[in-house]
Amino acid sequence: MAAELADLCRQLRLAHVMDYVSQENEEIRRIVGQILSAELDGRRRAKLGKLVQQAGFPHIKTFDGYVYDHISFPNGVSPEKLRELEWLERKENLLLMGAVGTGKTHMATALGVEACRRGKAVQFYRASDLVGVLQEKFAAGTLNRFREKLRKVDLLILDEVGYVPFSQTGSELLFNVIADCYEQQSVIVTSNLEFGQWTSIFGDTKLTSALVDRLVHHAHILSFTGESFRFKQAMERIPM
């Protein structure tokens, strides 16, 4: 009990409580331990709620019931290792590639929520939305401040790269954000296009090549196959 109390006091940064409690009987120490545990749990829940809210997830997703059968994992990567987030600690990237509706965004979001649970700062953007924000900040003269804010997150999630082509300015602004992240933060990208098709989105061949090079280095690429879950569910609802 003494060791547990000391650990609770350390986590809650209570410098003098342990000195007082150590002089009391076992029952008092037990009650104080319960109170401190409740306080620590409450702080963790509050921090999680704040991190999830700040992340900007469009929907909260978890891995409960998630199916991995249609996903090809690279060597050394498994669903378990993915959820352990060691890749995040090593500032590695995840590139989730495959057809529309095959669970890429779900996985990216669930990993982001898990990162929040572990006290990591996460930011989620649809790629087109982020480009729009970057262009607005650039026009308003506040781009550097916004990029500095992005540099402080542990994980940046870029969803739906490939759905909407970008202007030259938008492509350059997004490239600079990804360059900022290189070997400093982890990035998760979801895309329905193979890398060879990214030029159609970013326009410039050299810029696209440089962008892909930074993303792929220190990255794990997961391939999603099969038909859209949403289409399958819609078909199941149609009366026969």
Side-chain angles (χ1 to χ4, degrees):
M1 175 59 76
E4 294 174 2
L5 274 174
D7 185 55
L8 286 168
C9 290
R10 178 188 60 78
Q11 293 185 66
L12 292 168
R13 298 183 180 181
L14 301 175
H16 306 293
V17 170
M18 191 61 194
D19 293 337
Y20 173 79
V21 175
S22 62
Q23 303 174 28
E24 300 299 322
N25 60 47
E26 184 67 22
E27 180 62 15
I28 294 295
R29 290 197 292 271
R30 184 185 66 79
I31 293 172
V32 171
Q34 291 177 338
I35 293 172
L36 296 185
S37 293
E39 174 65 19
L40 184 60
D41 289 342
R43 291 189 188 184
R44 286 172 174 167
R45 286 194 300 272
K47 183 178 182 180
L48 171 60
K50 182 178 180 180
L51 288 171
V52 168
Q53 183 179 30
Q54 291 175 340
F57 301 116
H59 305 284
I60 302 301
K61 301 287 187 179
T62 70
F63 284 108
D64 292 343
Y66 192 83
V67 178
Y68 301 90
D69 296 347
H70 63 298
I71 304 172
S72 296
F73 289 86
N75 291 335
V77 179
S78 66
E80 294 73 26
K81 286 185 175 293
L82 209 61
R83 296 194 300 268
E84 288 170 2
L85 303 186
E86 290 183 2
W87 54 272
L88 181 59
E89 298 296 339
R90 295 191 295 263
K91 297 179 172 58
E92 296 170 348
N93 301 331
L94 294 180
L95 308 180
L96 313 183
M97 319 291 288
V100 173
T102 51
K104 302 184 301 296
T105 299
H106 186 145
M107 174 179 280
T109 303
L111 288 170
V113 170
E114 183 59 34
C116 289
R117 285 195 178 121
R118 303 193 186 197
K120 302 296 185 180
V122 179
Q123 194 66 61
F124 181 106
Y125 281 103
R126 289 189 177 91
S128 58
D129 291 342
L130 177 57
V131 168
V133 172
L134 291 170
Q135 290 174 320
E136 289 176 5
K137 300 296 183 182
F138 178 72
T142 58
L143 180 61
N144 288 338
R145 191 186 314 162
F146 181 69
R147 283 174 63 182
E148 185 61 33
K149 178 183 176 182
L150 289 180
R151 291 188 192 105
K152 294 179 181 179
V153 305
D154 300 292
L155 173 61
L156 176 64
I157 300 174
L158 294 178
D159 191 34
E160 298 182 352
V161 173
Y163 289 74
V164 180
F166 307 130
S167 65
Q168 181 177 348
T169 300
S171 296
E172 292 172 355
L173 291 171
L174 183 58
F175 170 80
N176 288 332
V177 168
I178 291 174
D180 288 343
C181 294
Y182 180 62
E183 296 187 332
Q184 302 300 315
Q185 302 153 267
S186 289
V187 180
I188 296 179
V189 171
T190 77
S191 179
N192 64 318
L193 298 181
E194 297 178 357
F195 292 126
Q197 300 174 294
W198 279 27
T199 304
S200 64
I201 301 302
F202 293 96
D204 184 276
T205 302
K206 290 184 179 179
L207 182 147
T208 303
S209 178
L211 184 147
V212 170
D213 183 68
R214 283 164 173 77
L215 284 175
V216 171
H217 194 214
H218 309 308
H220 305 286
I221 303 175
L222 281 64
S223 178
F224 290 66
T225 59
E227 63 178 326
S228 167
F229 292 136
R230 291 186 288 273
F231 179 77
K232 188 185 300 184
Q233 291 170 357
M235 292 299 293
E236 290 172 353
R237 289 194 294 268
I238 297 176
M240 300 300 291

